[in-house]
Amino acid sequence: DAGITQSPRHKVTETGTPVTLRCHQTENHRYMYWYRQDPGHGLRLIHYSYGVKDTDKGEVSDGYSVSRSKTEDFLLTLESATSSQTSVYFCAISVRQGTGELFFGEGSRLTVL
Amino acid sequence: QQQVKQSPQSLIVQKGGIPIINCAYENTAFDYFPWYQQFPGKGPALLIAIRPDVSEKKEGRFTISFNKSAKQFSLHIMDSQPGDSATYFCAATAEGYQKVTFGTGTKLQVIP
């Protein structure tokens, strides 16, 4: 089974502070994704990566940046957190390319006060 | 358009009932339609998936029905159990297209 570890699992921060969420995979899957989940909106793609240093925007990328310096790690950064970024963030990997079959992490709950 | 519309937003059924969750899409390039199940505090997990060249797929008590001409697909849960209480997401993607578009989710509660 693909293994994904997200950290931190819970974080409370204040408006204007930078926040970095980390996603670590134990297998060398090429595609990694960051989604946010909000009531009434389902899962919305923030950014995704198709290899080391190769990333692209999703549908809700404003206010977020990502980096992937190693195959196993995909970082999501909120440069200056806002209350609208309070959400649950999920990292996912593509276990079978072109199928939409994703394996998700356990999520990181972020609260911005 | 990339949108996938999902309904209902929430659903309550009695144990043994057959909840039905519906999804519709617009992008005719979509050619793979997975469903995900999410329990509270957990990440979504792949449940079942279908390609548009088949009209129905069953895995255990879960069945996907697909209507290509109407661009609609649905999930049926036969003999539903309280343990099926979860949020269900439909999704869609296309071969070679690495983004997956999700519906807004349906919160299902199966009462004993």
PDB file of all heavy atoms in Angstrom, chain B residues 49-67:
ATOM      1  N   ALA B  49     -14.937   2.271  -9.544  1.00  0.00           N
ATOM      2  CA  ALA B  49     -14.765   3.188 -10.677  1.00  0.00           C
ATOM      3  C   ALA B  49     -15.318   2.536 -11.938  1.00  0.00           C
ATOM      4  O   ALA B  49     -15.430   1.301 -12.021  1.00  0.00           O
ATOM      5  CB  ALA B  49     -13.296   3.552 -10.865  1.00  0.00           C
ATOM      6  N   ILE B  50     -15.649   3.372 -12.927  1.00  0.00           N
ATOM      7  CA  ILE B  50     -16.242   2.862 -14.148  1.00  0.00           C
ATOM      8  C   ILE B  50     -15.736   3.660 -15.350  1.00  0.00           C
ATOM      9  O   ILE B  50     -15.405   4.847 -15.216  1.00  0.00           O
ATOM     10  CB  ILE B  50     -17.790   2.925 -14.069  1.00  0.00           C
ATOM     11  CG1 ILE B  50     -18.440   2.085 -15.171  1.00  0.00           C
ATOM     12  CG2 ILE B  50     -18.281   4.373 -14.139  1.00  0.00           C
ATOM     13  CD1 ILE B  50     -19.948   1.896 -14.986  1.00  0.00           C
ATOM     14  N   ARG B  51     -15.663   3.003 -16.484  1.00  0.00           N
ATOM     15  CA  ARG B  51     -15.398   3.678 -17.754  1.00  0.00           C
ATOM     16  C   ARG B  51     -16.707   3.752 -18.532  1.00  0.00           C
ATOM     17  O   ARG B  51     -17.578   2.905 -18.358  1.00  0.00           O
ATOM     18  CB  ARG B  51     -14.346   2.914 -18.561  1.00  0.00           C
ATOM     19  CG  ARG B  51     -12.962   2.997 -17.960  1.00  0.00           C
ATOM     20  CD  ARG B  51     -11.900   2.600 -18.967  1.00  0.00           C
ATOM     21  NE  ARG B  51     -10.561   2.633 -18.392  1.00  0.00           N
ATOM     22  CZ  ARG B  51      -9.823   3.722 -18.313  1.00  0.00           C
ATOM     23  NH1 ARG B  51     -10.295   4.876 -18.748  1.00  0.00           N
ATOM     24  NH2 ARG B  51      -8.606   3.677 -17.792  1.00  0.00           N
ATOM     25  N   PRO B  52     -16.843   4.706 -19.443  1.00  0.00           N
ATOM     26  CA  PRO B  52     -18.125   4.892 -20.142  1.00  0.00           C
ATOM     27  C   PRO B  52     -18.466   3.813 -21.156  1.00  0.00           C
ATOM     28  O   PRO B  52     -19.545   3.860 -21.752  1.00  0.00           O
ATOM     29  CB  PRO B  52     -17.962   6.262 -20.817  1.00  0.00           C
ATOM     30  CG  PRO B  52     -16.510   6.491 -20.903  1.00  0.00           C
ATOM     31  CD  PRO B  52     -15.895   5.786 -19.749  1.00  0.00           C
ATOM     32  N   ASP B  53     -17.585   2.834 -21.372  1.00  0.00           N
ATOM     33  CA  ASP B  53     -17.921   1.778 -22.314  1.00  0.00           C
ATOM     34  C   ASP B  53     -18.764   0.670 -21.685  1.00  0.00           C
ATOM     35  O   ASP B  53     -19.160  -0.271 -22.365  1.00  0.00           O
ATOM     36  CB  ASP B  53     -16.647   1.186 -22.930  1.00  0.00           C
ATOM     37  CG  ASP B  53     -15.631   0.760 -21.902  1.00  0.00           C
ATOM     38  OD1 ASP B  53     -15.816   1.094 -20.714  1.00  0.00           O
ATOM     39  OD2 ASP B  53     -14.659   0.094 -22.274  1.00  0.00           O
ATOM     40  N   VAL B  54     -19.039   0.794 -20.389  1.00  0.00           N
ATOM     41  CA  VAL B  54     -19.949  -0.139 -19.726  1.00  0.00           C
ATOM     42  C   VAL B  54     -21.071   0.658 -19.072  1.00  0.00           C
ATOM     43  O   VAL B  54     -20.878   1.804 -18.677  1.00  0.00           O
ATOM     44  CB  VAL B  54     -19.238  -1.006 -18.666  1.00  0.00           C
ATOM     45  CG1 VAL B  54     -18.168  -1.867 -19.307  1.00  0.00           C
ATOM     46  CG2 VAL B  54     -18.638  -0.138 -17.585  1.00  0.00           C
ATOM     47  N   SER B  55     -22.238   0.058 -18.967  1.00  0.00           N
ATOM     48  CA  SER B  55     -23.386   0.770 -18.412  1.00  0.00           C
ATOM     49  C   SER B  55     -23.569   0.509 -16.918  1.00  0.00           C
ATOM     50  O   SER B  55     -24.273   1.249 -16.244  1.00  0.00           O
ATOM     51  CB  SER B  55     -24.669   0.372 -19.142  1.00  0.00           C
ATOM     52  OG  SER B  55     -24.879  -1.020 -19.026  1.00  0.00           O
ATOM     53  N   GLU B  56     -22.912  -0.541 -16.416  1.00  0.00           N
ATOM     54  CA  GLU B  56     -23.074  -0.859 -15.003  1.00  0.00           C
ATOM     55  C   GLU B  56     -21.871  -1.645 -14.510  1.00  0.00           C
ATOM     56  O   GLU B  56     -21.296  -2.454 -15.227  1.00  0.00           O
ATOM     57  CB  GLU B  56     -24.349  -1.693 -14.796  1.00  0.00           C
ATOM     58  CG  GLU B  56     -24.692  -1.954 -13.344  1.00  0.00           C
ATOM     59  CD  GLU B  56     -26.018  -2.685 -13.206  1.00  0.00           C
ATOM     60  OE1 GLU B  56     -27.069  -2.031 -13.198  1.00  0.00           O
ATOM     61  OE2 GLU B  56     -25.974  -3.927 -13.109  1.00  0.00           O
ATOM     62  N   LYS B  57     -21.505  -1.376 -13.264  1.00  0.00           N
ATOM     63  CA  LYS B  57     -20.425  -2.124 -12.631  1.00  0.00           C
ATOM     64  C   LYS B  57     -20.780  -2.361 -11.181  1.00  0.00           C
ATOM     65  O   LYS B  57     -21.227  -1.440 -10.489  1.00  0.00           O
ATOM     66  CB  LYS B  57     -19.108  -1.366 -12.734  1.00  0.00           C
ATOM     67  CG  LYS B  57     -17.923  -2.129 -12.145  1.00  0.00           C
ATOM     68  CD  LYS B  57     -16.620  -1.395 -12.372  1.00  0.00           C
ATOM     69  CE  LYS B  57     -15.444  -2.168 -11.813  1.00  0.00           C
ATOM     70  NZ  LYS B  57     -14.165  -1.444 -12.047  1.00  0.00           N
ATOM     71  N   LYS B  58     -20.596  -3.620 -10.735  1.00  0.00           N
ATOM     72  CA  LYS B  58     -20.914  -3.975  -9.354  1.00  0.00           C
ATOM     73  C   LYS B  58     -19.675  -4.442  -8.627  1.00  0.00           C
ATOM     74  O   LYS B  58     -18.868  -5.188  -9.172  1.00  0.00           O
ATOM     75  CB  LYS B  58     -21.954  -5.102  -9.322  1.00  0.00           C
ATOM     76  CG  LYS B  58     -23.313  -4.728  -9.855  1.00  0.00           C
ATOM     77  CD  LYS B  58     -24.275  -5.905  -9.736  1.00  0.00           C
ATOM     78  CE  LYS B  58     -25.640  -5.534 -10.279  1.00  0.00           C
ATOM     79  NZ  LYS B  58     -26.610  -6.645 -10.169  1.00  0.00           N
ATOM     80  N   GLU B  59     -19.556  -4.000  -7.386  1.00  0.00           N
ATOM     81  CA  GLU B  59     -18.516  -4.530  -6.504  1.00  0.00           C
ATOM     82  C   GLU B  59     -19.144  -4.695  -5.136  1.00  0.00           C
ATOM     83  O   GLU B  59     -19.379  -3.721  -4.419  1.00  0.00           O
ATOM     84  CB  GLU B  59     -17.295  -3.602  -6.449  1.00  0.00           C
ATOM     85  CG  GLU B  59     -16.423  -3.674  -7.673  1.00  0.00           C
ATOM     86  CD  GLU B  59     -15.101  -2.948  -7.540  1.00  0.00           C
ATOM     87  OE1 GLU B  59     -14.794  -2.492  -6.409  1.00  0.00           O
ATOM     88  OE2 GLU B  59     -14.400  -2.805  -8.546  1.00  0.00           O
ATOM     89  N   GLY B  60     -19.463  -5.943  -4.827  1.00  0.00           N
ATOM     90  CA  GLY B  60     -20.144  -6.197  -3.560  1.00  0.00           C
ATOM     91  C   GLY B  60     -21.516  -5.548  -3.552  1.00  0.00           C
ATOM     92  O   GLY B  60     -22.311  -5.760  -4.468  1.00  0.00           O
ATOM     93  N   ARG B  61     -21.792  -4.739  -2.539  1.00  0.00           N
ATOM     94  CA  ARG B  61     -23.108  -4.078  -2.453  1.00  0.00           C
ATOM     95  C   ARG B  61     -23.151  -2.738  -3.192  1.00  0.00           C
ATOM     96  O   ARG B  61     -24.174  -2.063  -3.200  1.00  0.00           O
ATOM     97  CB  ARG B  61     -23.463  -3.881  -0.984  1.00  0.00           C
ATOM     98  CG  ARG B  61     -23.658  -5.192  -0.222  1.00  0.00           C
ATOM     99  CD  ARG B  61     -24.099  -4.954   1.223  1.00  0.00           C
ATOM    100  NE  ARG B  61     -23.058  -4.317   2.020  1.00  0.00           N
ATOM    101  CZ  ARG B  61     -23.062  -3.051   2.390  1.00  0.00           C
ATOM    102  NH1 ARG B  61     -24.059  -2.248   2.032  1.00  0.00           N
ATOM    103  NH2 ARG B  61     -22.081  -2.556   3.127  1.00  0.00           N
ATOM    104  N   PHE B  62     -22.050  -2.365  -3.791  1.00  0.00           N
ATOM    105  CA  PHE B  62     -21.957  -1.068  -4.474  1.00  0.00           C
ATOM    106  C   PHE B  62     -22.071  -1.250  -5.988  1.00  0.00           C
ATOM    107  O   PHE B  62     -21.396  -2.095  -6.565  1.00  0.00           O
ATOM    108  CB  PHE B  62     -20.635  -0.363  -4.137  1.00  0.00           C
ATOM    109  CG  PHE B  62     -20.477  -0.062  -2.664  1.00  0.00           C
ATOM    110  CD1 PHE B  62     -19.884  -0.975  -1.819  1.00  0.00           C
ATOM    111  CD2 PHE B  62     -20.953   1.123  -2.142  1.00  0.00           C
ATOM    112  CE1 PHE B  62     -19.746  -0.703  -0.469  1.00  0.00           C
ATOM    113  CE2 PHE B  62     -20.825   1.411  -0.796  1.00  0.00           C
ATOM    114  CZ  PHE B  62     -20.221   0.495   0.047  1.00  0.00           C
ATOM    115  N   THR B  63     -22.944  -0.454  -6.610  1.00  0.00           N
ATOM    116  CA  THR B  63     -23.164  -0.529  -8.047  1.00  0.00           C
ATOM    117  C   THR B  63     -23.095   0.862  -8.643  1.00  0.00           C
ATOM    118  O   THR B  63     -23.698   1.804  -8.108  1.00  0.00           O
ATOM    119  CB  THR B  63     -24.539  -1.139  -8.366  1.00  0.00           C
ATOM    120  OG1 THR B  63     -24.600  -2.475  -7.858  1.00  0.00           O
ATOM    121  CG2 THR B  63     -24.788  -1.169  -9.869  1.00  0.00           C
ATOM    122  N   ILE B  64     -22.364   1.003  -9.735  1.00  0.00           N
ATOM    123  CA  ILE B  64     -22.372   2.243 -10.503  1.00  0.00           C
ATOM    124  C   ILE B  64     -23.189   1.996 -11.761  1.00  0.00           C
ATOM    125  O   ILE B  64     -22.969   1.013 -12.471  1.00  0.00           O
ATOM    126  CB  ILE B  64     -20.960   2.691 -10.934  1.00  0.00           C
ATOM    127  CG1 ILE B  64     -20.021   2.849  -9.752  1.00  0.00           C
ATOM    128  CG2 ILE B  64     -21.045   4.014 -11.688  1.00  0.00           C
ATOM    129  CD1 ILE B  64     -18.603   3.210 -10.172  1.00  0.00           C
ATOM    130  N   SER B  65     -24.102   2.925 -12.036  1.00  0.00           N
ATOM    131  CA  SER B  65     -24.829   2.919 -13.302  1.00  0.00           C
ATOM    132  C   SER B  65     -24.370   4.111 -14.113  1.00  0.00           C
ATOM    133  O   SER B  65     -24.188   5.199 -13.561  1.00  0.00           O
ATOM    134  CB  SER B  65     -26.342   3.017 -13.052  1.00  0.00           C
ATOM    135  OG  SER B  65     -26.781   1.901 -12.306  1.00  0.00           O
ATOM    136  N   PHE B  66     -24.185   3.898 -15.408  1.00  0.00           N
ATOM    137  CA  PHE B  66     -23.634   4.961 -16.257  1.00  0.00           C
ATOM    138  C   PHE B  66     -24.514   5.172 -17.477  1.00  0.00           C
ATOM    139  O   PHE B  66     -24.876   4.218 -18.167  1.00  0.00           O
ATOM    140  CB  PHE B  66     -22.210   4.593 -16.691  1.00  0.00           C
ATOM    141  CG  PHE B  66     -21.458   5.739 -17.277  1.00  0.00           C
ATOM    142  CD1 PHE B  66     -20.696   6.558 -16.470  1.00  0.00           C
ATOM    143  CD2 PHE B  66     -21.511   6.015 -18.630  1.00  0.00           C
ATOM    144  CE1 PHE B  66     -20.001   7.633 -16.990  1.00  0.00           C
ATOM    145  CE2 PHE B  66     -20.822   7.082 -19.166  1.00  0.00           C
ATOM    146  CZ  PHE B  66     -20.071   7.891 -18.345  1.00  0.00           C
ATOM    147  N   ASN B  67     -24.882   6.418 -17.737  1.00  0.00           N
ATOM    148  CA  ASN B  67     -25.673   6.785 -18.909  1.00  0.00           C
ATOM    149  C   ASN B  67     -24.861   7.773 -19.725  1.00  0.00           C
ATOM    150  O   ASN B  67     -24.845   8.970 -19.440  1.00  0.00           O
ATOM    151  CB  ASN B  67     -27.019   7.397 -18.483  1.00  0.00           C
ATOM    152  CG  ASN B  67     -27.929   7.680 -19.657  1.00  0.00           C
ATOM    153  OD1 ASN B  67     -27.482   7.932 -20.766  1.00  0.00           O
ATOM    154  ND2 ASN B  67     -29.226   7.627 -19.413  1.00  0.00           N
TER     155      ASN B  67
END
